[in-house]
């Protein structure tokens, strides 16, 4: 059994630990500073647990001894510290971050990796699977014109003014709504403002809106710069959501610095209920030259909440945990580059969807051609 360390016993970390432990191929240790969260996890699966303060360098290094890899399901602001310790320990590193600066720091660390040691951030849904899917479609074209990537984690039954429920990390959500967004315009890498670029589209009989948010493109901008004319990533919501969030972030200026973002977090967590009854919408549309014609290929998938061993799991919980679990499987099986920094677009879509965890994304497509 391959020994793995999962740091973070929150919703996604605990779900990931259950998937990995239950498959029987991994000896999983879960570390968190919250002893009660670790006890709750032990009620549902057999894993080793360890109370850990990741800001204590000695304890962090000790936790990594004897492990094959570490997966951070912790807050993005401690990921660089965890990656640096993994580098010194000689073990591989994975995380779920959408934070661009964190990914850049981890990439610099990866330059010092040993043979067989990889560093692979952004292993969730977006960034993560969305980049794997977009890169696979893009490879079919001889030249690329436009790539549009749209992802939404949405309540199945919206019933409040902002037509949204909290389904994942509030800190991550606020980062997406407030930080600068990468894009490619006219063949050049650029940045655009979050919450701008509003568009509307219909899919499967429902109306949606989409707008710029940060982090979802992962490393694709760098990979495809100079090869695609226009590329962007937008978050999908029900119509009317963006206007109200823009009022909070920009109108009331609650997105301008860390202190104000903490106020925004408090407002959202006290006013917007959590739900496990959600769905994940993934849409990629690529156009360019294919077989001598100007063509468009689109892929749209909708994944619903469900249950795991009798426990309710949200769609974002399932897709995020399944994505990183699939990446771990592919790494152990030798189906990824074996040293240094690894991008999501280095993963073959067929390998991902053929994996026992990645198969959760292998759902019927909603349509072959999607006007986005």
């Amino acid at each position: 059994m391959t020994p793995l360390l999962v740091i973070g016993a929150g919703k996604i970390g605990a779900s990931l630990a259950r998937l990995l432990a239950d498959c029987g191929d991994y000896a999983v240790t879960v570390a968190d500073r919250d002893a009660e969260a670790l006890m709750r996890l032990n009620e549902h699966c057999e894993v080793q647990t360890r109370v850990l303060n990741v800001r204590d360098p000695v304890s962090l290094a000790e936790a990594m001894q004897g492990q094959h890899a570490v997966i951070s399901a912790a807050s993005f602001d401690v990921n660089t510290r965890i990656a640096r310790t993994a580098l010194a320990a000689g073990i591989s590193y994975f995380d779920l971050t959408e934070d661009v600066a964190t990914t850049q720091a981890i990439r610099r660390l990866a330059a010092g990796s040993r043979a067989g040691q990889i560093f692979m951030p952004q292993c969730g849904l977006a960034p993560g699977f969305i980049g794997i899917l977009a890169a696979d479609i893009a490879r079919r074209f001889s030249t690329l014109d436009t790539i549009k990537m749209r992802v939404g984690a949405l309540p199945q039954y919206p019933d409040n003014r902002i037509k949204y429920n909290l389904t994942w990390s509030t800190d991550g959500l606020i980062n997406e709504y407030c930080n600068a967004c990468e894009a490619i315009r006219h063949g050049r890498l650029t940045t655009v403002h979050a919450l701008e670029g509003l568009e509307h589209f219909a899919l499967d009989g429902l109306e949606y809106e989409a707008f710029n948010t940060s982090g979802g493109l992962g490393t694709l901008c760098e990979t495809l710069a100079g090869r695609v004319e226009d590329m962007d990533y937008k978050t999908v919501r029900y119509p009317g959501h963006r206007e109200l969030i823009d009022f909070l972030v920009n109108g009331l200026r609650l997105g301008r610095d860390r202190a104000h973002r903490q106020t925004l977090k408090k407002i959202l967590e006290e006013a917007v209920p959590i739900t496990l009854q959600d769905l994940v919408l993934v849409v990629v549309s690529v156009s360019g030259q294919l077989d001598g014609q100007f063509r468009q290929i689109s892929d749209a998938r909708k994944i619903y909440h469900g249950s795991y061993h009798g426990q309710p799991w949200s769609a974002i919980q399932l897709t995020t945990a399944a994505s990183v679990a699939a990446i771990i499987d592919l790494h152990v099986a030798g189906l990824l580059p074996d040293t240094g920094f690894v991008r999501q677009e280095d993963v073959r879509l067929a390998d991902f969807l053929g994996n026992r965890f990645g198969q959760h994304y292998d759902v019927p497509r909603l349509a072959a051609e999607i006007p986005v």
Side-chain angles (χ1 to χ4, degrees), residues 165-186:
N165 290 90
L166 296 177
T167 60
W168 63 293
S169 163
T170 310
D171 289 316
L173 180 71
I174 291 171
N175 260 2
E176 288 191 354
Y177 285 166
C178 298
N179 292 350
C181 314
E182 291 184 324
I184 292 178
R185 292 284 184 266
H186 307 299

mmCIF file of all heavy atoms in Angstrom, residues 165-186:
data_model
loop_
_atom_site.group_PDB
_atom_site.id
_atom_site.type_symbol
_atom_site.label_atom_id
_atom_site.label_comp_id
_atom_site.label_asym_id
_atom_site.label_seq_id
_atom_site.Cartn_x
_atom_site.Cartn_y
_atom_site.Cartn_z
ATOM 1 N N ASN A 165 -26.027 29.086 -3.181
ATOM 2 C CA ASN A 165 -25.742 28.563 -1.852
ATOM 3 C C ASN A 165 -24.260 28.256 -1.757
ATOM 4 O O ASN A 165 -23.624 27.936 -2.766
ATOM 5 C CB ASN A 165 -26.527 27.272 -1.575
ATOM 6 C CG ASN A 165 -28.007 27.515 -1.423
ATOM 7 O OD1 ASN A 165 -28.748 27.474 -2.400
ATOM 8 N ND2 ASN A 165 -28.450 27.769 -0.214
ATOM 9 N N LEU A 166 -23.711 28.332 -0.572
ATOM 10 C CA LEU A 166 -22.307 27.979 -0.384
ATOM 11 C C LEU A 166 -22.149 26.473 -0.538
ATOM 12 O O LEU A 166 -22.863 25.701 0.109
ATOM 13 C CB LEU A 166 -21.815 28.435 0.989
ATOM 14 C CG LEU A 166 -21.826 29.952 1.218
ATOM 15 C CD1 LEU A 166 -21.386 30.263 2.648
ATOM 16 C CD2 LEU A 166 -20.933 30.676 0.221
ATOM 17 N N THR A 167 -21.234 26.080 -1.397
ATOM 18 C CA THR A 167 -21.008 24.657 -1.632
ATOM 19 C C THR A 167 -19.552 24.259 -1.440
ATOM 20 O O THR A 167 -19.230 23.081 -1.476
ATOM 21 C CB THR A 167 -21.426 24.267 -3.067
ATOM 22 O OG1 THR A 167 -20.652 25.029 -4.017
ATOM 23 C CG2 THR A 167 -22.903 24.534 -3.305
ATOM 24 N N TRP A 168 -18.648 25.245 -1.260
ATOM 25 C CA TRP A 168 -17.233 24.922 -1.074
ATOM 26 C C TRP A 168 -16.582 26.050 -0.287
ATOM 27 O O TRP A 168 -17.247 26.818 0.393
ATOM 28 C CB TRP A 168 -16.550 24.665 -2.418
ATOM 29 C CG TRP A 168 -16.525 25.852 -3.358
ATOM 30 C CD1 TRP A 168 -17.595 26.436 -3.957
ATOM 31 C CD2 TRP A 168 -15.375 26.582 -3.779
ATOM 32 N NE1 TRP A 168 -17.183 27.494 -4.733
ATOM 33 C CE2 TRP A 168 -15.835 27.596 -4.652
ATOM 34 C CE3 TRP A 168 -14.016 26.462 -3.533
ATOM 35 C CZ2 TRP A 168 -14.965 28.500 -5.268
ATOM 36 C CZ3 TRP A 168 -13.143 27.360 -4.153
ATOM 37 C CH2 TRP A 168 -13.629 28.369 -5.009
ATOM 38 N N SER A 169 -15.264 26.172 -0.358
ATOM 39 C CA SER A 169 -14.506 27.140 0.436
ATOM 40 C C SER A 169 -14.945 28.580 0.175
ATOM 41 O O SER A 169 -14.898 29.062 -0.963
ATOM 42 C CB SER A 169 -13.012 27.002 0.115
ATOM 43 O OG SER A 169 -12.286 28.130 0.539
ATOM 44 N N THR A 170 -15.346 29.287 1.212
ATOM 45 C CA THR A 170 -15.720 30.694 1.062
ATOM 46 C C THR A 170 -14.511 31.535 0.703
ATOM 47 O O THR A 170 -14.611 32.474 -0.095
ATOM 48 C CB THR A 170 -16.375 31.217 2.352
ATOM 49 O OG1 THR A 170 -17.402 30.321 2.768
ATOM 50 C CG2 THR A 170 -16.984 32.588 2.126
ATOM 51 N N ASP A 171 -13.352 31.219 1.291
ATOM 52 C CA ASP A 171 -12.120 31.949 0.949
ATOM 53 C C ASP A 171 -11.797 31.793 -0.530
ATOM 54 O O ASP A 171 -11.418 32.765 -1.208
ATOM 55 C CB ASP A 171 -10.950 31.452 1.796
ATOM 56 C CG ASP A 171 -11.055 31.875 3.247
ATOM 57 O OD1 ASP A 171 -11.398 33.054 3.493
ATOM 58 O OD2 ASP A 171 -10.807 31.057 4.141
ATOM 59 N N GLY A 172 -11.922 30.578 -1.047
ATOM 60 C CA GLY A 172 -11.657 30.343 -2.456
ATOM 61 C C GLY A 172 -12.640 31.080 -3.348
ATOM 62 O O GLY A 172 -12.274 31.641 -4.387
ATOM 63 N N LEU A 173 -13.904 31.099 -2.944
ATOM 64 C CA LEU A 173 -14.931 31.814 -3.695
ATOM 65 C C LEU A 173 -14.607 33.305 -3.772
ATOM 66 O O LEU A 173 -14.678 33.919 -4.847
ATOM 67 C CB LEU A 173 -16.286 31.600 -3.024
ATOM 68 C CG LEU A 173 -17.494 32.269 -3.680
ATOM 69 C CD1 LEU A 173 -17.839 31.581 -4.991
ATOM 70 C CD2 LEU A 173 -18.691 32.258 -2.730
ATOM 71 N N ILE A 174 -14.227 33.891 -2.654
ATOM 72 C CA ILE A 174 -13.909 35.320 -2.617
ATOM 73 C C ILE A 174 -12.670 35.615 -3.456
ATOM 74 O O ILE A 174 -12.614 36.635 -4.163
ATOM 75 C CB ILE A 174 -13.739 35.784 -1.158
ATOM 76 C CG1 ILE A 174 -15.101 35.736 -0.456
ATOM 77 C CG2 ILE A 174 -13.140 37.176 -1.088
ATOM 78 C CD1 ILE A 174 -15.031 35.963 1.042
ATOM 79 N N ASN A 175 -11.668 34.754 -3.405
ATOM 80 C CA ASN A 175 -10.498 34.918 -4.265
ATOM 81 C C ASN A 175 -10.903 34.986 -5.729
ATOM 82 O O ASN A 175 -10.419 35.831 -6.486
ATOM 83 C CB ASN A 175 -9.535 33.741 -4.073
ATOM 84 C CG ASN A 175 -8.385 34.079 -3.149
ATOM 85 O OD1 ASN A 175 -8.305 35.159 -2.611
ATOM 86 N ND2 ASN A 175 -7.496 33.130 -2.971
ATOM 87 N N GLU A 176 -11.779 34.091 -6.135
ATOM 88 C CA GLU A 176 -12.208 34.070 -7.527
ATOM 89 C C GLU A 176 -12.918 35.359 -7.917
ATOM 90 O O GLU A 176 -12.783 35.852 -9.039
ATOM 91 C CB GLU A 176 -13.143 32.886 -7.772
ATOM 92 C CG GLU A 176 -12.445 31.539 -7.756
ATOM 93 C CD GLU A 176 -13.344 30.424 -8.269
ATOM 94 O OE1 GLU A 176 -14.537 30.689 -8.526
ATOM 95 O OE2 GLU A 176 -12.850 29.301 -8.405
ATOM 96 N N TYR A 177 -13.702 35.904 -6.997
ATOM 97 C CA TYR A 177 -14.485 37.095 -7.282
ATOM 98 C C TYR A 177 -13.671 38.394 -7.207
ATOM 99 O O TYR A 177 -14.133 39.432 -7.703
ATOM 100 C CB TYR A 177 -15.644 37.212 -6.292
ATOM 101 C CG TYR A 177 -16.801 36.263 -6.521
ATOM 102 C CD1 TYR A 177 -17.768 36.078 -5.537
ATOM 103 C CD2 TYR A 177 -16.941 35.552 -7.704
ATOM 104 C CE1 TYR A 177 -18.843 35.222 -5.732
ATOM 105 C CE2 TYR A 177 -18.009 34.689 -7.901
ATOM 106 C CZ TYR A 177 -18.955 34.526 -6.917
ATOM 107 O OH TYR A 177 -20.020 33.675 -7.114
ATOM 108 N N CYS A 178 -12.504 38.348 -6.590
ATOM 109 C CA CYS A 178 -11.767 39.588 -6.311
ATOM 110 C C CYS A 178 -10.420 39.708 -7.025
ATOM 111 O O CYS A 178 -9.959 40.824 -7.276
ATOM 112 C CB CYS A 178 -11.533 39.733 -4.806
ATOM 113 S SG CYS A 178 -13.034 39.862 -3.814
ATOM 114 N N ASN A 179 -9.764 38.596 -7.313
ATOM 115 C CA ASN A 179 -8.414 38.659 -7.871
ATOM 116 C C ASN A 179 -8.437 38.844 -9.384
ATOM 117 O O ASN A 179 -9.424 38.532 -10.055
ATOM 118 C CB ASN A 179 -7.637 37.399 -7.520
ATOM 119 C CG ASN A 179 -7.344 37.297 -6.037
ATOM 120 O OD1 ASN A 179 -7.546 38.243 -5.285
ATOM 121 N ND2 ASN A 179 -6.869 36.149 -5.608
ATOM 122 N N ALA A 180 -7.302 39.325 -9.921
ATOM 123 C CA ALA A 180 -7.169 39.511 -11.362
ATOM 124 C C ALA A 180 -7.249 38.165 -12.077
ATOM 125 O O ALA A 180 -6.873 37.121 -11.539
ATOM 126 C CB ALA A 180 -5.845 40.199 -11.675
ATOM 127 N N CYS A 181 -7.760 38.191 -13.298
ATOM 128 C CA CYS A 181 -8.002 36.972 -14.076
ATOM 129 C C CYS A 181 -7.103 36.968 -15.312
ATOM 130 O O CYS A 181 -7.005 37.967 -16.026
ATOM 131 C CB CYS A 181 -9.453 36.912 -14.532
ATOM 132 S SG CYS A 181 -10.666 37.299 -13.254
ATOM 133 N N GLU A 182 -6.467 35.845 -15.569
ATOM 134 C CA GLU A 182 -5.669 35.704 -16.780
ATOM 135 C C GLU A 182 -6.580 35.400 -17.966
ATOM 136 O O GLU A 182 -7.633 34.781 -17.833
ATOM 137 C CB GLU A 182 -4.647 34.584 -16.615
ATOM 138 C CG GLU A 182 -3.549 34.898 -15.611
ATOM 139 C CD GLU A 182 -2.505 33.813 -15.540
ATOM 140 O OE1 GLU A 182 -2.873 32.630 -15.674
ATOM 141 O OE2 GLU A 182 -1.321 34.140 -15.363
ATOM 142 N N ALA A 183 -6.136 35.809 -19.137
ATOM 143 C CA ALA A 183 -6.849 35.520 -20.379
ATOM 144 C C ALA A 183 -5.875 35.719 -21.533
ATOM 145 O O ALA A 183 -4.783 36.283 -21.357
ATOM 146 C CB ALA A 183 -8.067 36.423 -20.545
ATOM 147 N N ILE A 184 -6.245 35.246 -22.704
ATOM 148 C CA ILE A 184 -5.490 35.536 -23.923
ATOM 149 C C ILE A 184 -6.400 36.322 -24.848
ATOM 150 O O ILE A 184 -7.528 35.900 -25.132
ATOM 151 C CB ILE A 184 -4.997 34.244 -24.611
ATOM 152 C CG1 ILE A 184 -3.933 33.567 -23.731
ATOM 153 C CG2 ILE A 184 -4.427 34.550 -25.987
ATOM 154 C CD1 ILE A 184 -3.416 32.255 -24.286
ATOM 155 N N ARG A 185 -5.918 37.487 -25.273
ATOM 156 C CA ARG A 185 -6.664 38.336 -26.189
ATOM 157 C C ARG A 185 -5.766 38.648 -27.381
ATOM 158 O O ARG A 185 -4.645 39.122 -27.211
ATOM 159 C CB ARG A 185 -7.086 39.650 -25.507
ATOM 160 C CG ARG A 185 -8.121 39.464 -24.405
ATOM 161 C CD ARG A 185 -9.504 39.208 -24.993
ATOM 162 N NE ARG A 185 -10.520 39.116 -23.950
ATOM 163 C CZ ARG A 185 -10.928 37.987 -23.397
ATOM 164 N NH1 ARG A 185 -10.389 36.835 -23.788
ATOM 165 N NH2 ARG A 185 -11.856 37.978 -22.462
ATOM 166 N N HIS A 186 -6.256 38.364 -28.573
ATOM 167 C CA HIS A 186 -5.500 38.631 -29.796
ATOM 168 C C HIS A 186 -4.104 38.002 -29.743
ATOM 169 O O HIS A 186 -3.114 38.594 -30.163
ATOM 170 C CB HIS A 186 -5.398 40.139 -30.041
ATOM 171 C CG HIS A 186 -6.722 40.840 -30.028
ATOM 172 N ND1 HIS A 186 -7.740 40.551 -30.922
ATOM 173 C CD2 HIS A 186 -7.220 41.804 -29.191
ATOM 174 C CE1 HIS A 186 -8.794 41.304 -30.665
ATOM 175 N NE2 HIS A 186 -8.512 42.061 -29.614
#
